[in-house]
Amino acid sequence: MKRTMKSVIAALSMIALFAFNAAAGEVEVLHWWTSGGEAAAVQELKKMLQNEGHTWKDFAVAGGAGANAMTALKSRAVSGNPPTAAQVKGPQIQEWADLGVLTNLDDVAQAENWDPLVPKVVADIMKFNGQWVAVPVNVHRINWMWCNPEVFRKAGAKYPQTWDEFFAACEKIQKAGMIPVAFGGQPWQEATAWESIVAGVGGTDFYIKTMVRADEPSLASDTMVKVFEIFRKIKKYTDKNAPGRDWNLATAMVIKGEAGMQFMGDWAKGEFTAAGKVPGKDYDALTVPGTADAFLFNVDSFIMFEVKDAEAKKAQKAMARLILSPDFQIVFNVNKGSIPVRSGIAEEPFDAVALKSMQDFAATARTGGLMPSMAHEMAVSPAVRGAMFDVVTNFYNSSMSPQDAAQKLAMAVKEAKM
Ligand code: GAL
């Protein structure tokens, strides 16, 4: 009897729990934030939603830069069962909106006054036909190099500002028996390093011509040949286990002092933070040679799919509202390594690297030097981006000459545009 009562109570409490959850609304959230820093950051959104009584159903698909997550999203959408919210960026937002499957977030945007708070360059990416269909989360900077000062000290090397100084430092680190560059050989990581070199070698105008306008003569130019030459030379200073390595494992090599530097966006800072490391003491962030005045930006965002259930709708809108709330913008971005995407956020909780990023973002926005990241879906169409990725990865993993690579790049982009 006692046992029966116990199971009845258990069953009733399950029903109560279920009823509460259903009333409060559930959001199933697709994302690819599975590394230490990324997971710590996304956990904060889950907590805030749960504090408002909603349920978070995690749909995490591992894989840097989200290629696996996007495949999973498409297959769920095709079977008529998309998640409530999904991490989707750049031009893909427009593509999903064009299918007519996204929730219009204008009511939240108006109530929360998003328009004056979010920079126009970001808001334009989040809107479709003038309506908000995505919520921006942060601003990441791509053109960073993460350095271990102890490795440099042991090798007698100094922090580089030019490419010549960079290769001089690599030589010293290698001679001292350490790995100069921690590298992950995956197409998106290769493209991430490569686009920073494009900015560093060619400057703002060249970057915009090639990575945003996909101008064929510029893609085939001597400047692009120089970019490929530098990219090839960097490979000499990576280790033999680089192919296929995940980006966060490459960051761990710098954290542990096995390697001197890593080219990576500032989600790498999230890994240093998660490991309890402090910038200026345990590690330093330098801008990639030649890019001190450049800011390659990458904005994360969420789209919400149209749902019928009224409570799920409420949970979706709560998620959208929370993402741009000042409290979330602080706690998320401190963990993620990025900077807030909206204005009016206190600077005090952020570290020196984030503060520099904030200043540089504002300064570059004024001088017109903001560069949308090609590798992270802020610039060209998915087809052109795919063509660029193919040439970059084929070049990096073969003995193709820099001259051929530049020619092939222009041709592949031309075809992708047709
Ligand atoms: C980027 C994304 C970042 C970070 C990175 C590695 O595309 O914008 O937030 O997660 O991929 O996964």
Side-chain angles (χ1 to χ4, degrees), residues 10 72-73 89 102 122 124 145 214 276 278 282 292 334 350 364 413-414:
L73 177 62
K89 312 196 298 187
L102 300 190
V122 176
D124 286 348
M145 274 184 341
V278 177
D282 305 311
V334 162
F350 289 93
T364 359
V413 165
K414 186 177 179 188

Side-chain angles (χ1 to χ4, degrees), residues 32-33 38 64-65 89 140 188 247 267 298 300 336 376:
W32 64 86
W33 289 330
E38 290 175 330
K89 312 196 298 187
H140 271 303
W188 76 269
W247 68 271
W267 46 93
N298 166 27
D300 286 307
K336 188 70 167 65
H376 294 272

Side-chain angles (χ1 to χ4, degrees), residues 97-213:
D98 202 24
L99 296 175
V101 291
L102 300 190
T103 304
N104 180 342
L105 298 169
D106 275 354
D107 49 351
V108 188
Q110 264 153 31
E112 298 291 313
N113 216 14
W114 287 357
D115 271 297
L117 293 175
V118 176
K120 191 177 176 305
V121 61
V122 176
D124 286 348
I125 306 173
M126 306 296 141
K127 289 182 182 180
F128 180 70
N129 290 340
Q131 295 173 342
W132 287 89
V133 291
V135 203
V137 185
N138 60 358
V139 178
H140 271 303
R141 187 182 200 177
I142 305 288
N143 53 311
W144 288 118
M145 274 184 341
W146 306 91
C147 303
N148 183 314
E150 195 52 23
V151 171
F152 276 77
R153 197 191 54 75
K154 280 193 206 150
K158 75 175 192 14
Y159 281 160
Q161 277 173 1
T162 63
W163 289 110
D164 285 347
E165 290 173 3
F166 172 85
F167 290 115
C170 285
E171 276 296 314
K172 289 200 166 161
I173 296 171
Q174 198 165 54
K175 284 218 174 78
M178 292 168 290
I179 302 162
V181 180
F183 203 79
Q186 295 173 347
W188 76 269
Q189 292 190 65
E190 291 157 358
T192 301
W194 178 78
E195 70 176 6
S196 283
I197 306 169
V198 171
V201 171
T204 309
D205 286 352
F206 183 73
Y207 184 93
I208 301 289
K209 270 192 203 146
T210 52
M211 300 294 99
V212 181
R213 298 207 196 108

Side-chain angles (χ1 to χ4, degrees), residues 97-399:
D98 202 24
L99 296 175
V101 291
L102 300 190
T103 304
N104 180 342
L105 298 169
D106 275 354
D107 49 351
V108 188
Q110 264 153 31
E112 298 291 313
N113 216 14
W114 287 357
D115 271 297
L117 293 175
V118 176
K120 191 177 176 305
V121 61
V122 176
D124 286 348
I125 306 173
M126 306 296 141
K127 289 182 182 180
F128 180 70
N129 290 340
Q131 295 173 342
W132 287 89
V133 291
V135 203
V137 185
N138 60 358
V139 178
H140 271 303
R141 187 182 200 177
I142 305 288
N143 53 311
W144 288 118
M145 274 184 341
W146 306 91
C147 303
N148 183 314
E150 195 52 23
V151 171
F152 276 77
R153 197 191 54 75
K154 280 193 206 150
K158 75 175 192 14
Y159 281 160
Q161 277 173 1
T162 63
W163 289 110
D164 285 347
E165 290 173 3
F166 172 85
F167 290 115
C170 285
E171 276 296 314
K172 289 200 166 161
I173 296 171
Q174 198 165 54
K175 284 218 174 78
M178 292 168 290
I179 302 162
V181 180
F183 203 79
Q186 295 173 347
W188 76 269
Q189 292 190 65
E190 291 157 358
T192 301
W194 178 78
E195 70 176 6
S196 283
I197 306 169
V198 171
V201 171
T204 309
D205 286 352
F206 183 73
Y207 184 93
I208 301 289
K209 270 192 203 146
T210 52
M211 300 294 99
V212 181
R213 298 207 196 108
D215 169 60
E216 289 142 37
S218 311
L219 289 166
S221 66
D222 289 347
T223 309
M224 190 55 84
V225 173
K226 180 96 198 296
V227 169
F228 280 112
E229 278 166 3
I230 289 186
F231 195 37
R232 170 65 46 76
K233 206 166 161 194
I234 291 172
K235 193 176 182 182
K236 273 187 22 199
Y237 299 103
T238 62
D239 69 321
K240 67 174 187 344
N241 296 324
R245 177 187 284 136
D246 285 332
W247 68 271
N248 52 322
L249 300 181
T251 310
M253 292 164 68
V254 179
I255 294 178
K256 287 190 238 155
E258 293 166 7
M261 319 174 239
Q262 182 190 17
F263 292 93
M264 192 48 66
D266 42 21
W267 46 93
K269 183 157 73 78
E271 299 305 296
F272 285 95
T273 305
K277 303 294 179 193
V278 177
K281 179 173 156 267
D282 305 311
Y283 71 99
D284 290 291
L286 308 187
T287 45
V288 170
T291 70
D293 298 330
F295 195 114
L296 265 78
F297 71 91
N298 166 27
V299 174
D300 286 307
S301 46
F302 283 94
I303 55 173
M304 313 273 166
F305 286 89
E306 196 58 75
V307 286
K308 288 205 184 71
D309 181 65
E311 299 307 325
K313 262 194 210 306
K314 271 193 212 155
Q316 265 184 337
K317 303 262 157 126
M319 179 170 159
R321 167 174 50 77
L322 285 169
I323 286 174
L324 277 171
S325 69
D327 285 354
F328 177 75
Q329 286 288 307
I330 292 174
V331 72
F332 177 86
N333 287 305
V334 162
N335 282 295
K336 188 70 167 65
S338 37
I339 58 172
V341 67
R342 55 159 285 180
S343 54
I345 303 293
E347 290 186 352
E348 183 271 316
F350 289 93
D351 63 27
V353 181
L355 294 179
K356 179 165 166 45
S357 200
M358 288 176 199
Q359 281 155 13
D360 289 356
F361 185 77
T364 359
R366 275 196 299 274
T367 57
L370 278 182
M371 305 180 193
S373 163
M374 180 283 294
H376 294 272
E377 305 181 65
M378 298 288 114
V380 286
S381 71
V384 170
R385 175 175 174 265
M388 289 184 173
F389 268 44
D390 283 351
V391 175
V392 169
T393 202
N394 285 339
F395 168 78
Y396 192 74
N397 295 293
S398 73
S399 55

